[in-house]
Amino acid sequence: MPTGSCLCGKLRYEYTGEPAGKKISGSAFSVNALIPEDTFKVTSGKPSEYTKTADSGEQITSFFCAECGSTPWRETKTFEGNKILKAGTLDNKTDLDTLKPAAELYNGNRSSWIPEFPGTEHHKAMPS
């Protein structure tokens, strides 16, 4: 069963089954996995929340560790019924290896030195 945590390990999660599919990451891109919410559970800690209006007009909530500030997942109506898991928070490399990119979002903002992922859907913004 895939497990993961925040940076300090106080906020932990796990899920079962297969995943369905810039600023927050502090990076040029972020790798996310859609995890059906009925297969996801917090196994320790209590996440803090920060909600903002996304460019889609929908609310998006980041769930983060109050101790270290890491954001293991997010939620929004755009992907209702799923947790948007930050793949870098997975504990085991083998769990990360099973995630294959299916889509690129905001590729219109891609830095010139980042190549396209072949074989994926490409979206200049968040799909509706």
Side-chain angles (χ1 to χ4, degrees):
M1 172 181 306
T3 61
S5 71
C6 64
L7 178 63
C8 72
K10 290 187 177 181
L11 179 60
R12 299 200 52 79
Y13 64 84
E14 67 183 27
Y15 67 91
T16 58
E18 295 294 319
K22 211 150 155 172
K23 272 198 185 273
I24 190 73
S25 71
S27 176
F29 56 90
S30 174
V31 178
N32 301 287
L34 296 180
I35 305 298
E37 66 185 3
D38 60 351
T39 70
F40 179 93
K41 74 177 181 178
V42 174
T43 57
S44 70
K46 181 178 182 336
S48 294
E49 300 177 20
Y50 174 75
T51 301
K52 68 179 249 25
T53 302
D55 60 351
S56 66
E58 295 289 349
Q59 297 293 298
I60 187 160
T61 302
S62 296
F63 293 85
F64 62 96
C65 175
E67 187 75 21
C68 68
S70 296
T71 302
W73 74 93
R74 301 175 88 191
E75 295 177 8
T76 180
K77 281 187 177 182
T78 303
F79 297 107
E80 197 165 15
N82 293 285
K83 305 292 187 188
I84 306 165
L85 182 73
K86 298 294 185 178
T89 66
L90 287 164
D91 290 332
N92 297 310
K93 181 185 179 307
T94 54
D95 293 328
L96 185 57
D97 287 344
T98 65
L99 301 174
K100 303 287 189 246
E104 281 189 80
L105 307 180
Y106 299 101
N107 67 357
N109 296 333
R110 179 187 308 124
S111 295
S112 61
W113 51 268
I114 300 173
E116 280 189 4
F117 276 93
T120 61
E121 294 179 20
H122 300 275
H123 302 276
K124 289 190 181 212
M126 183 65 67
S128 48

